[in-house]
Amino acid sequence: MGNLPGTRDILPEDTALWQFIEMETRGVFERYGFYEIRTPVIEPTELFARGIGGDTDIVGKEMYTFHDQSDRSVTLRPEATASVMRAYIQNTMFREGNLRKLYYFGPMFRHEKKQKGRWRQFFQAGVEAIGSDHPAVDAEIIEMAISMLEALEIKSRLLINSVGCRECRPKYVELLRNELQKNSDGFCGDCQRRAVTNSLRVLDCKVENCQPLIVGLPVITEHLCEDCTKHFIDLRGHLDDAGITYEIVPRLVRGLDYYTRTAFEIVSGELGSQNALVGGGRYDGLSEILGGPATPAIGFAVGLDRLAMILSETRGQTDRRGPEIFLAWMGAAAFSKSLQIARQLRRAGHYCYMNFGEGSLKSRMRLANKLDAKHVLIIGDNELANERYAVKRLADSEQWEASLPEIENYLRKC
Ligand code: HAM
């Protein structure tokens, strides 16, 4: 039986790279004062329908939704921002009154068309800073995303936009809808429907024939209210002060409806059409949509599968940690002694490889080399009788005899 399309096993040869990415990413998040939150991978469907928006591709076509045994409609999370906001409200974190900085790692599920860099179960690391609308927070979040990619030595480009607020956006959307109604013929079926239901989504359409028409539509940055204009100018000032380069892309609207003001993506030149590594933005209205108090917030998520894809091409395989000592035993008595030695060395904190099959010394040495072991401990009848074992260091093939306490002492110093 195979796995489901769009899912995959990440095998031990690859997990070292994933652990490296997770460690670097976590390190950057923690340096900026973020704390980890873990939310369920399964949530009430309503959370995403309300949070992400009913007319987005994610909610409309891509969610893994089913009825559980209690006939409740549940969904495997397609993203985590709605869940984090739900947890923030449910656990009354707003009572503390300060900026809450939360980060998460985990699998997300979207039933998308399969493509290079696009999975149905994929992994994100994300951050949410909840409780401030200061543009310096937006800049700090963006700076952190860039630091994370720099720590991984991944080259990227930052794209930013402002998608306005509940004051100015409806007026812009009205203008857009009027424009679209005047000239809807050339657009794809989805765009024609969205022109009426959720006009902003037209800007996010990826259909090739729609692109020249989209370029001719009015842009939101020319229709922002005074406060949003100032917020966007201030954000750019903070980015300039931090020496961060960016491109303003007025048609960047992102695929989720909760965004307000700042929207951004970080893209890589090293991936094909699925080139977005990081997606994020401000979502000042989400708390209220989910029944919480008015609370401004901003965050982003990075696609870990895409980082792993780039790094496995640019860095190759990350070294696996080889055993410090490989036990090459010969005969039944040596086998029992090896079990004892393995136990003792592991208790002392050493990575010890116990081999369970019979075999020649030559085949044992071959396996030890393959596993990248640092030392081989040879245990045969003579060694058992004298309680002194042959230790072979594989790096320079030097070999010597030692008692178990001497070996422990040596390993401790390695
Ligand atoms: P998003 O843009 O949908 O945003 O996803 C963020 C990142 O997740 C993308 O840039 C991409 O790297 C990765 N990603 C998305 N879909 C897939 C897929 N099917 N296969 C592989 N990687 C994928 C969000 O999810 C928002 N919750 C981000 C956010 C946090 N906004 C505010 N706070």
Side-chain angles (χ1 to χ4, degrees):
M1 207 200 309
N3 57 320
L4 289 169
T7 70
R8 68 191 155 141
D9 304 308
I10 299 169
L11 299 175
E13 352 355 343
D14 299 319
T15 47
L17 179 61
W18 281 75
Q19 285 167 359
F20 166 74
I21 293 171
E22 285 159 9
M23 190 185 71
E24 291 291 326
T25 308
R26 191 182 291 272
V28 173
F29 293 170
E30 295 195 346
R31 281 204 287 286
Y32 279 81
F34 284 76
Y35 290 85
E36 187 173 4
I37 182 166
R38 299 184 186 201
T39 61
V41 292
I42 190 163
E43 294 271 12
T45 303
E46 175 78 6
L47 173 66
F48 304 115
R50 270 164 57 187
I52 300 173
D55 201 44
T56 57
D57 278 353
I58 296 180
V59 174
K61 313 185 198 166
E62 296 169 359
M63 294 210 301
Y64 281 90
T65 297
F66 54 96
H67 281 83
D68 70 6
Q69 285 78 349
S70 317
D71 206 27
R72 197 180 278 123
S73 179
V74 295
T75 293
L76 292 178
R77 64 176 180 199
E79 61 108 47
T81 308
S83 302
V84 171
M85 188 51 97
R86 177 201 49 69
Y88 175 87
I89 298 167
Q90 196 174 332
N91 295 286
T92 60
M93 291 193 219
F94 48 83
R95 287 232 175 99
E96 292 158 37
N98 54 352
L99 178 64
R100 286 308 299 252
K101 291 174 145 185
L102 306 168
Y103 78 81
Y104 51 84
F105 281 83
M108 310 292 155
F109 305 85
R110 296 183 194 174
H111 196 280
E112 294 192 84
K113 242 212 261 126
K114 262 194 69 198
Q115 213 173 327
K116 190 178 178 218
R118 203 197 250 173
W119 299 88
R120 291 182 178 163
Q121 178 182 329
F122 58 97
F123 293 82
Q124 281 185 346
V127 299
E128 313 296 348
I130 310 176
S132 169
D133 65 357
H134 201 296
V137 176
D138 305 37
E140 190 186 79
I141 288 277
I142 291 173
E143 178 188 300
M144 184 168 72
I146 288 172
S147 299
M148 175 195 70
L149 295 174
E150 278 173 359
L152 297 168
E153 295 176 15
I154 292 178
K155 290 198 190 70
S156 60
R157 289 188 300 131
L158 167 65
L159 317 177
I160 61 168
N161 191 23
S162 173
V163 294
C165 64
R166 62 178 148 200
E167 296 302 318
C168 53
R169 196 171 39 207
K171 291 179 201 150
Y172 167 72
V173 169
E174 187 59 38
L175 178 75
L176 194 61
R177 186 178 299 131
N178 289 340
E179 282 299 310
L180 287 165
Q181 270 163 8
K182 272 192 242 158
N183 182 18
S184 72
D185 286 354
F187 282 98
C188 69
D190 271 350
C191 281
Q192 291 191 8
R193 180 176 53 78
R194 285 176 179 153
V196 184
T197 58
N198 191 347
S199 315
L200 211 56
R201 292 259 66 78
V202 171
L203 301 179
D204 198 35
C205 177
K206 302 285 182 290
V207 174
E208 211 169 300
N209 289 345
C210 296
Q211 301 312 310
L213 300 169
I214 290 172
V215 172
L217 293 170
V219 293
I220 190 157
T221 34
E222 285 168 16
H223 299 275
L224 296 175
C225 64
E226 216 175 295
D227 286 351
C228 288
T229 304
K230 181 171 180 338
H231 194 274
F232 197 38
I233 291 172
D234 289 350
L235 163 67
R236 275 146 40 208
H238 288 296
L239 291 177
D240 292 337
D241 289 346
I244 295 171
T245 49
Y246 52 84
E247 291 162 44
I248 300 173
V249 180
R251 287 181 184 83
L252 180 75
V253 287
R254 314 257 310 112
L256 306 104
D257 276 353
Y258 48 60
Y259 290 111
T260 53
R261 295 189 167 167
T262 309
F264 68 97
E265 281 186 1
I266 304 182
V267 297
S268 155
E270 293 174 58
L271 295 169
S273 63
Q274 298 303 304
N275 66 349
L277 296 174
V278 174
R282 187 160 272 295
Y283 48 94
D284 293 346
L286 183 60
S287 174
E288 285 162 283
I289 291 172
L290 299 180
T295 314
I298 178 162
F300 71 75
V302 53
L304 298 179
D305 306 73
R306 294 184 186 174
L307 298 186
M309 208 160 93
I310 292 182
L311 290 183
S312 67
E313 281 162 20
T314 55
R315 291 168 53 110
Q317 231 172 51
T318 303
D319 287 344
R320 259 203 304 161
R321 191 171 62 101
E324 288 171 79
I325 197 140
F326 177 102
L327 303 184
W329 52 269
M330 300 292 139
F335 177 71
S336 316
K337 185 69 186 174
S338 289
L339 290 173
Q340 230 180 34
I341 294 176
R343 195 174 304 121
Q344 189 169 330
L345 291 178
R346 286 170 183 158
R347 281 195 183 140
H350 301 293
Y351 172 13
C352 182
Y353 187 93
M354 176 66 197
N355 178 56
F356 289 90
E358 296 279 349
S360 64
L361 185 58
K362 206 166 152 201
S363 69
R364 298 275 156 88
M365 294 307 278
R366 217 179 301 126
L367 179 58
N369 271 309
K370 197 170 151 212
L371 293 170
D372 198 24
K374 305 296 170 259
H375 306 90
V376 174
L377 193 69
I378 301 166
I379 313 166
D381 290 341
N382 285 346
E383 285 83 2
L384 275 184
N386 304 329
E387 296 222 354
R388 291 186 72 76
Y389 310 92
V391 185
K392 183 165 183 168
R393 185 164 56 212
L394 296 185
D396 57 7
S397 293
E398 197 180 324
Q399 187 166 322
W400 67 95
E401 269 195 8
S403 67
L404 198 55
E406 284 167 351
I407 293 167
E408 270 194 59
N409 204 18
Y410 164 78
L411 288 177
R412 213 173 302 126
K413 290 187 195 139
C414 273

